[in-house]
Amino acid sequence: MEILEQEGEMTDEVKYMYWTFGGTVPGSFIRTRVGDEVEFHLQNHPDNKLPHNINMHAVTGPGGGAESLFVAPGHEKVFSFKTLHPGLYVYHCATAPVGMQPKVQL
């Protein structure tokens, strides 16, 4: 999944700098089954100005992988986890400022 900072129109004549997952807000659903081993690749587009990460509420452990997936512009991080519980979970950027974080359910 690639993080892309891109300007979009929030309402008529109101522009906003979105932090997107794969160019969309919200980002894509990620479908897994309990027991799946997931290898997640997170890229931060080289034209981005800020480092980013992802907090996956489905991941057991501090920050849902956010610390392991903290990535500078132009770089990629890889993170693996096993889905342990059924449910619908949110993932989002956990980098400040919080108001610009894209969110989606997983």
Side-chain angles (χ1 to χ4, degrees):
M1 181 176 290
E2 183 179 46
I3 295 175
L4 180 61
E5 299 167 8
Q6 62 185 32
E7 186 176 275
E9 191 170 303
M10 186 179 291
T11 62
D12 291 341
E13 300 180 26
V14 176
K15 303 286 185 191
Y16 187 78
M17 182 58 70
Y18 289 95
W19 294 358
T20 71
F21 290 127
T24 65
V25 175
S28 302
F29 276 83
I30 301 170
R31 184 167 187 226
T32 65
R33 295 179 188 265
V34 173
D36 283 353
E37 296 278 344
V38 179
E39 182 178 280
F40 190 83
H41 295 248
L42 185 68
Q43 299 100 21
N44 191 348
H45 193 277
D47 293 339
N48 288 347
K49 306 242 184 295
L50 299 168
H52 294 282
N53 65 10
I54 193 166
N55 176 343
M56 298 182 174
H57 292 207
V59 172
T60 303
E67 186 175 326
S68 298
L69 289 171
F70 190 78
V71 61
H75 294 274
E76 175 180 355
K77 292 281 182 98
V78 179
F79 177 79
S80 297
F81 66 94
K82 183 175 184 173
T83 55
L84 301 176
H85 306 285
L88 187 63
Y89 299 92
V90 172
Y91 67 85
H92 60 88
C93 183
T95 303
V98 174
M100 296 179 76
Q101 296 178 3
K103 295 178 176 54
V104 74
Q105 293 179 330
L106 149 78

